[in-house]
Amino acid sequence: MTADATPTASSPAGAVPGSADSAARPFDVLGKTYEDTYAHLPEQLAAIDWLLARLPRRARVMDIGSGTGRPTAHRIAAQGHEVTGYDVSRTMIDLARAQVPAARFELADVRTLPDTPGQWDAITAFFPLLQMSRSDLDATLARIADWLAPGGAFVFATVPFDAEDQEIRWMGQTVRCTSYPAETYGRLLRRAGLEVVHEELSVFHPDFPGMGTEEHLFLYAVKPGGPAVPAHALAGPYPLPEEYRGPHELSEQGWLGMEARFERHDIALVADALSGNARVLDVGGGTGAVVREIAARLGSVTTVEPHTAREESMRPLGARGVRVLPGRAEELPLPDAEFDAALATWVLHYTDDPDKAVTELARTVDRAHPEAKVILVQGAPDNELIALWNRTCAPLLGEAPDHQGYLLTRAARVLAERGFPDVSFHRARVDVVFPEEGPEAKAEAAAAVLADFWNTGHPRLAELRQALLPALREHFATGTDRFNDDAVMLLARPRRTL
């Protein structure tokens, strides 16, 4: 809705200004046209992404003004969360139920919903509070804060302007609107007890005849309290182990054999997350694949590598802006707060003490920097290669299963305790490809590569290869040429109240 639309002379017949019927009438008329016009706002999609990266697994989410169910309820429910949408428009409820069967939708005015303190892990409200009085708007925002569970998140969008009960023409409809100047909303949310962590103004020009530009305000807020790090689905599977299994052995020969077969999208995800940084530390530089990309984008990067042979192999990267230092993740040879970002990709499961390694990463980052962050990359809960190792190799070797989500959860808690409480989780696609001709050739190649990668030099290496073959033959018999080796990027930042 645009606040500077031309005022009209009267309200729609039969609608009491500020009533649910009055608010529903334009949306009953517009139906799917509203979705076609507004469902692809980049700021709204970014807000949903922000929320999804932080929601606990199977979160309870309220969507106020749920409309047709797209994009908000659809995207959140698709990630396995329990979404309940409320809207005053019967047309919108009917569309939402048809389009998003995984969510629940109810015809209701948010002002009449019963008080349910602490019931919701998250609440979304994209432009639904414009057709009520300021007193109702204030009361609704306060109730939303009360409905959130400790640690819960609220994502809110509106059209900021300074008027109450202003009659406008919007998408061919007569609508009475109320709002506040942009700076007022943050104050209202803080007064309600929420911590505002993001505030953004944007401009949108709806693709609809006669519509002008609109100014939109997006706010993200968090209710204090709750667990330092919620149990996110990407840190699963659950339940988590009770203790660390100990480090895997790492062989340069085994890693090189795997690297030639990777199709990695985690490196680009990490590099994109570092776009605002200038002084970056990488721990466990390995073959240099990650630091080469970072240096190419930022101009320079420092990497610490514990293995002498790999450290020496990366020395030529100095010409590309890569500074290489010897050292262990648990004892970084660097002063406090020297960098504005630190990262470790696929490293924690090779460390003797993951908590100490994460503590060291956090120590090297200047938390006062506006782009301060720590990034960790480990395996996803549905990673096929980790599942194969756990199913076949761990029992044969008498070792405990590998659980990457356990490491991510421990890391997230350590980072929250050390001043990086804004923790988010992001999936990255990684494939390991075997282009050999025929299932048997693929299985033989995979058995050799994987056994060497996991257990180079092990006295039972030949036995490991044979043990892997039945599962590999079955896998490649489906016609695929790859394994899912998906990653999770944990991104931790200091939380700043605006």
Side-chain angles (χ1 to χ4, degrees):
M1 297 180 184
T2 176
D4 58 0
T6 304
T8 63
S10 61
S11 300
V16 178
S19 69
D21 287 344
S22 175
R25 187 180 299 274
F27 296 97
D28 284 337
V29 173
L30 290 168
K32 192 74 163 52
T33 302
Y34 177 77
E35 177 188 316
D36 294 340
T37 305
Y38 283 90
H40 305 290
L41 290 171
E43 295 81 9
Q44 181 173 349
L45 299 178
I48 298 169
D49 286 341
W50 179 88
L51 190 65
L52 287 172
R54 290 159 178 82
L55 281 180
R57 62 193 181 111
R58 293 191 292 276
R60 299 156 300 169
V61 182
M62 174 193 286
D63 183 18
I64 299 172
S66 48
T68 68
R70 294 176 177 168
T72 307
H74 173 71
R75 293 191 61 198
I76 297 174
Q79 296 300 313
H81 302 296
E82 299 174 9
V83 182
T84 301
Y86 296 101
D87 204 288
V88 295
S89 165
R90 168 57 69 184
T91 297
M92 292 299 188
I93 291 295
D94 290 344
L95 283 167
R97 287 173 176 170
Q99 294 191 144
V100 192
R104 182 166 69 93
F105 298 94
E106 301 292 340
L107 185 68
D109 184 338
V110 66
R111 293 169 293 187
T112 67
L113 292 178
D115 286 324
T116 52
Q119 178 173 321
W120 302 94
D121 297 303
I123 299 176
T124 61
F126 291 106
F127 308 102
L129 308 185
L130 285 157
Q131 296 191 73
M132 58 176 66
S133 67
R134 280 182 171 174
S135 62
D136 282 346
L137 174 56
D138 295 356
T140 299
L141 291 175
R143 294 180 77 209
I144 286 170
D146 186 51
W147 293 338
L148 283 172
F154 177 44
V155 178
F156 174 62
T158 191
V159 179
F161 58 92
D162 190 7
E164 184 168 15
D165 196 31
Q166 176 175 313
E167 194 171 82
I168 65 171
R169 291 290 292 177
W170 171 77
M171 295 190 75
Q173 308 298 310
T174 299
V175 183
R176 302 187 77 93
C177 292
T178 294
S179 191
Y180 286 109
E183 61 271 14
T184 301
Y185 285 97
R187 292 200 298 269
L188 290 173
L189 295 183
R190 294 184 190 97
R191 186 188 305 164
L194 301 182
E195 178 186 351
V196 179
V197 298
H198 178 79
E199 198 165 349
E200 177 183 4
L201 282 168
S202 61
V203 175
F204 176 63
H205 193 152
D207 184 13
F208 190 88
M211 293 283 286
T213 58
E214 299 177 354
E215 186 175 52
H216 293 167
L217 173 67
F218 289 83
L219 297 104
Y220 312 165
V222 176
K223 186 169 184 174
V229 180
H232 196 281
L234 287 178
Y238 294 88
L240 300 178
E242 294 184 1
E243 59 184 17
Y244 180 38
R245 68 173 297 282
H248 286 274
E249 293 296 324
L250 178 61
S251 154
E252 183 175 14
Q253 173 188 330
W255 182 263
L256 288 173
M258 279 285 281
E259 187 172 55
R261 296 176 179 272
F262 278 134
E263 286 185 4
R264 297 183 64 175
H265 300 282
D266 58 323
I267 297 176
L269 183 67
V270 168
D272 289 345
L274 294 169
S275 61
N277 296 100
R279 294 174 291 118
V280 175
L281 169 67
D282 167 81
V283 174
T287 60
V290 175
V291 294
R292 279 196 299 270
E293 178 68 21
I294 294 171
R297 295 204 193 190
L298 303 182
S300 65
V301 63
T302 296
T303 187
V304 173
E305 173 54 53
H307 295 86
T308 302
R310 282 199 300 257
E311 178 203 339
E312 290 297 328
S313 70
M314 283 194 292
R315 292 290 178 187
L317 295 178
R320 303 188 189 183
V322 179
R323 179 172 65 138
V324 184
L325 300 175
R328 298 172 62 244
E330 296 93 333
E331 296 178 15
L332 295 175
L334 296 160
D336 295 353
E338 181 173 343
F339 301 93
D340 53 52
L343 67 139
T345 61
W346 302 94
V347 165
L348 291 184
H349 54 298
Y350 297 120
T351 62
D352 294 320
D353 187 341
D355 290 358
K356 178 62 174 173
V358 175
T359 298
E360 281 288 273
L361 282 165
R363 178 185 64 78
T364 66
V365 177
D366 176 9
R367 287 188 288 123
H369 192 279
E371 288 293 331
K373 58 180 68 83
V374 176
I375 295 174
L376 300 168
V377 174
Q378 296 293 145
D382 55 352
N383 183 299
E384 291 178 333
L385 287 184
I386 295 170
L388 177 62
W389 190 90
N390 286 339
R391 187 170 64 248
T392 304
C393 299
L396 182 63
L397 300 174
E399 295 188 19
D402 183 280
H403 199 298
Q404 300 279 294
Y406 169 77
L407 294 171
L408 288 170
T409 299
R410 285 182 65 155
R413 290 171 181 163
V414 170
L415 289 166
E417 292 168 357
R418 282 154 181 77
F420 294 85
D422 183 6
V423 175
S424 59
F425 297 87
H426 310 263
R427 178 185 288 273
R429 183 71 187 176
V430 180
D431 287 323
V432 180
V433 182
F434 295 91
E436 285 78 6
E437 288 293 329
E440 183 63 25
K442 294 180 192 296
E444 292 281 353
V449 169
L450 294 175
D452 275 356
F453 176 56
W454 289 326
N455 297 95
T456 299
H458 196 279
R460 300 177 68 183
L461 189 61
E463 188 179 349
L464 281 169
R465 291 174 181 168
Q466 289 302 310
L468 286 167
L469 278 172
L472 293 171
R473 287 174 179 137
E474 182 179 351
H475 180 79
F476 289 118
T478 65
T480 187
D481 66 346
R482 64 195 57 219
F483 271 93
N484 153 17
D485 193 26
D486 278 8
V488 175
M489 181 181 78
L490 182 157
L491 174 60
R493 302 172 182 265
R495 183 171 288 159
R496 296 184 177 85
T497 301
L498 302 178

